[in-house]
Amino acid sequence: MDQLEKQVTEWAEENEGKAVRLLKRLIGEKSTYQKEFTAQAVVLEKLRQFDMAIDVWEPSVKQLKEHPYFISDREDFNESPNIVAVKKGAGGGRSLILNGHIDVVPEGNPAAWTYEPFLAVEKDGKIYGRGSTDMKGGNTALLFALEALDACGITLKGDVLFQSVVDEECGGAGTLSAVMRGYKADGALIPEPTNLKLFVKQQGSMWFRITVRGLSAHGGTRYEGVSAIEKSLHVITALKELENVRNARIKDPLYQDVPIPVPINIGTVHGGSWPSSVADRVTIEGRCGIAPNEKPEDVKEELTNWLKDLEYQDEWFKHHPVETEWFGAQWLPNDLKDGHPLISSLESSYEKIKEAKPVHEASPWGTDGGLLHHAGQTPVIVFGPGEVKAAHQANEYIEIRALIDAAKIISLFIMEWCGIAEGGEPADKGIEG
Amino acid sequence: MDQLEKQVTEWAEENEGKAVRLLKRLIGEKSTYQKEFTAQAVVLEKLRQFDMAIDVWEPSVKQLKEHPYFISDREDFNESPNIVAVKKGAGGGRSLILNGHIDVVPEGNPAAWTYEPFLAVEKDGKIYGRGSTDMKGGNTALLFALEALDACGITLKGDVLFQSVVDEECGGAGTLSAVMRGYKADGALIPEPTNLKLFVKQQGSMWFRITVRGLSAHGGTRYEGVSAIEKSLHVITALKELENVRNARIKDPLYQDVPIPVPINIGTVHGGSWPSSVADRVTIEGRCGIAPNEKPEDVKEELTNWLKDLEYQDEWFKHHPVETEWFGAQWLPNDLKDGHPLISSLESSYEKIKEAKPVHEASPWGTDGGLLHHAGQTPVIVFGPGEVKAAHQANEYIEIRALIDAAKIISLFIMEWCGIAEGGEPADKGIEG
């Protein structure tokens, strides 16, 4: 590390409390689907300290509908503003997008949580709460890295575009809207929870909705009807078999330690309207993974055809085939070329802080990286604190140590990628407390 | 048939249109759970023609809670009034309760209906609509039988208590409230859809709610979680096995033509909150039949213990046993003694109209008869128009012919059971059109 890098990382180490406080405030603002605005207010308050050009807007559904990658069925973004803050560089450096989503998934069964999910309880070096890992921890690492550079008075050559986007958990309309507004860069980093590994490939995914039909009857003579609930068991079993077939195909060594590289997750099941009636309809919703080398259209066709074959197992499906829709969310897969400078810059920053080589992996889940890459022509690397096994779960947490390490690595990475401008020395501005 | 009986049945035959119009108006008032008041207004309008003492009240939850058979969790009966109309007899005859419920189950998937479910379309001698068979057709048969007696100027010896009750589909709070208000009689007839068979035994039933636990996780790493949806498949399979075991025990010849005498119907399944999360909870609701000779408590214990044994199939259930609750609805079983005069009176009336012996059967479903019997000490027979296979289904219908036949049989039965008073001859009052 050179003198400047030392100064930045030391500042981060000494000011850890600032990062912890920011993360707690972000978790405290529950920012589930369509309700991200109060958490964005906390982001704005922090950004206003950094002398950046701030752009806040509510994405326009009308505009988004013109883009082929927009697949949401929401009607407006009234309480879901996007934020992009730009720090213009002195010139001559590479530009960088730092992208994190502010939306979180619902907390699920409250009784399963040890600590209240939006209270951000700190305990034994961890902070607990919905969104701590996915991905307010990563967002905090980005903001804390920017704060460290600002505090040390560093001027970069390239532009930095910080993005706090909505709607990632529902398919990326926030990032897509930023792309459509013209925000692109020479590279991007998304600090989703990779447990400080470099995720150079990301699995894509899509949401499906399967409707299974039955024939209603009084429960007391249930043999006069056909239970859509019983029929749905065949569908669930068939989806598990398809998952096996699809994953047996994947030979990429980056996935060798991942038990199910492209899972088919059955997330919700809803059927029937009355305890003593035979259910005439069951709706199954879930998420189907897309391998980095697959096209979404091919995967849709494969799943739809697979379920058509149910008619060979059970005559009922011949006359009442299941209906398959794709709705709500889609994350495109992403693939960063071997030897891309994003990889080498991040590796070098990682080694300076961790004194070891980083692990490369392919992520078993999608990110907004697919959109930045395919829609925004911006190469993307995914790297952040937190373990994905904590995400979307009760007792979601992040380790403070990992958050601070990530912030340090990211601050060095920003300096390396964008370059330091002449006169960007700390002495020019002094260190702010 | 004597002269009086002839007169009554001829009036019914000639005035069929009145019955059809009444039934259509009753179907037209959607009277699902907690919204029975508009249909009750139609009943009231008809009753006011008969010079009966009418009692209309909203059952009191506070009072009902004092009764051990009250199991509903509803908070009030604000839009669910009960009606009892009493025609005092001249004295010296047996009293009779005529009990029908006015509530109907929801219509289910509207797309499955050929005709709009509350439009009461008449086609080829049938009337289609939710509640036509279960049991506004039966209620219409009762009211039409009373109208025939009234039109023919007949005075009975015994009292007739007509009851239009709410909440039968949810466990009988309407009938229970009538019992608690003091309405009892020497016998009762409930015209649930027996397809004009005499149901001398009725299966009881109860509603259960089973909660299956899982462990939430991100769908992209679903192997880090445990899917409550996958675990619920074991529960559904176990319930089907228990149904087999319970029904293999039933040797009563009255059930010999019933494919499943005491079914376990799995009516609803709801689980998961997000397509790309692993579901941490599934709730299964259904209806468990109680054989006429069984005690509800024993059945509850059997089912609960059966599900405890899931731990031998899957370790997960050892540490996360399913929770079983009994909620919302319970119909007590009912058993009319061999040779009871309700049976012989109804048989004799049936034979006069149909010129054949009626079929005796045990019903595979519960009625409010269990409550009238066990709480109200009133012996009950169940007999009515319509086939139960049409109940709770799309395209529910009733045959107009069966409705009129039932009304004729019931009018003769009332005369036989209650007795005709001196001076109760038609000539006294004349026939009203």
Side-chain angles (χ1 to χ4, degrees), chain A residues 41-240:
Chain A
V42 175
V43 172
L44 274 181
E45 191 186 316
K46 176 56 67 177
L47 285 170
R48 287 208 174 98
Q49 302 171 16
F50 303 152
D51 189 27
M52 296 173 90
I54 296 175
D55 184 10
V56 184
W57 75 101
E58 286 157 3
S60 152
V61 170
K62 189 161 167 268
Q63 261 182 351
L64 282 164
K65 278 188 173 160
E66 290 166 15
H67 202 288
Y69 289 144
F70 179 64
I71 34 73
S72 165
D73 51 8
R74 65 190 285 182
E75 285 172 15
D76 62 60
F77 286 78
N78 287 348
E79 295 185 330
S80 300
N82 250 351
I83 300 172
V84 174
V86 180
K87 182 86 173 179
K88 284 297 287 180
R94 291 178 291 204
S95 59
L96 179 66
I97 286 173
L98 300 169
N99 173 294
H101 67 83
I102 195 71
D103 55 313
V104 299
V105 297
E107 66 272 29
N109 175 15
W113 287 76
T114 306
Y115 309 109
E116 203 278 311
F118 299 100
L119 217 58
V121 170
E122 182 178 343
K123 177 102 180 155
D124 299 333
K126 294 172 183 165
I127 296 173
Y128 289 85
R130 172 57 78 233
S132 52
T133 276
D134 185 13
M135 62 174 289
K136 289 174 174 175
N139 297 343
T140 301
L142 294 183
L143 288 164
F144 192 55
L146 292 177
E147 190 166 6
L149 298 182
D150 186 71
C152 296
I154 289 167
T155 303
L156 300 166
K157 287 183 183 165
D159 299 346
V160 173
L161 296 84
F162 172 84
Q163 306 187 330
S164 181
V165 296
V166 298
D167 203 61
E168 192 272 347
E169 297 289 357
C170 300
T175 287
L176 184 60
S177 177
V179 166
M180 290 177 78
R181 212 167 166 92
Y183 293 113
K184 300 181 184 190
D186 297 319
L189 179 139
I190 300 181
E192 289 268 16
T194 68
N195 198 17
L196 304 188
K197 296 172 188 170
L198 273 56
F199 279 16
V200 291
K201 292 183 184 185
Q202 292 119 56
Q203 184 202 139
S205 66
M206 309 176 282
W207 286 3
F208 56 81
R209 181 185 293 127
I210 297 165
T211 304
V212 187
R213 299 288 169 184
L215 179 65
S216 171
H218 189 294
T221 51
R222 68 168 196 78
Y223 41 83
E224 308 277 6
V226 175
S227 167
I229 293 171
E230 283 180 35
K231 295 302 174 195
S232 72
L233 306 193
H234 295 275
V235 178
I236 291 170
T237 305
L239 288 172
K240 292 205 67 176

Side-chain angles (χ1 to χ4, degrees), chain B residues 86-91 93-97 157-161 185 418:
Chain B
V86 180
K87 183 85 171 180
K88 282 298 287 180
R94 290 177 293 204
S95 60
L96 179 66
I97 285 173
K157 288 183 182 165
D159 300 346
V160 172
L161 296 84
C418 298

